[in-house]
Amino acid sequence: MKRHVLILFAAVIFTLTLASCTSKYDAEDFIGKTSAEIVDENGDFDCVIGEADNGIYSNCKCGYTIKEKKAGFLGSSDGVLFFICFDENGVAISCAEGVRPGG
């Protein structure tokens, strides 16, 4: 009986650990919204690939930082961003994780 309790406890801890490692951004929260709506809800973008026209980003890609770039003794790791792609009307059409252009 004790073994089953320990296995169940380990499974719960493992699940909670994985849940805490996920991105705070979910594509479903962005798709279909305009860039202005997204900025109002989440603040200014950390990275913009393109230009805004009257506060609307169209035909471009903008991102929020998920993980900061780190430099350490054994090497460095790239920062990770959550990118949102906008169509010609400034509406979010897709999302993906990626690295900042140019490193």
Side-chain angles (χ1 to χ4, degrees):
M1 180 68 176
K2 287 183 180 181
R3 184 174 181 206
H4 293 311
V5 171
L6 288 175
I7 291 172
L8 180 61
F9 181 72
V12 169
I13 296 298
F14 181 72
T15 302
L16 291 174
T17 302
L18 286 179
S20 67
C21 294
T22 60
S23 170
K24 72 176 187 175
Y25 300 110
D26 185 9
E28 293 176 7
D29 295 334
F30 298 97
I31 303 295
K33 292 184 179 178
T34 66
S35 57
E37 291 172 321
I38 293 171
V39 169
D40 284 345
E41 292 174 10
N42 300 285
D44 291 333
F45 295 112
D46 298 325
C47 179
V48 176
I49 304 169
E51 295 184 23
D53 183 24
N54 293 324
I56 300 291
Y57 293 93
S58 58
N59 292 323
C60 66
K61 182 164 78 168
C62 304
Y64 290 109
T65 302
I66 296 173
K67 183 176 116 183
E68 296 289 336
K69 181 177 183 174
K70 291 184 181 178
F73 180 71
L74 298 175
S76 62
S77 65
D78 290 330
V80 178
L81 288 102
F82 182 83
F83 283 107
I84 306 160
C85 296
F86 297 98
D87 66 9
E88 63 277 355
N89 298 313
V91 176
I93 56 173
S94 65
C95 301
E97 291 184 15
V99 296
R100 185 179 302 271

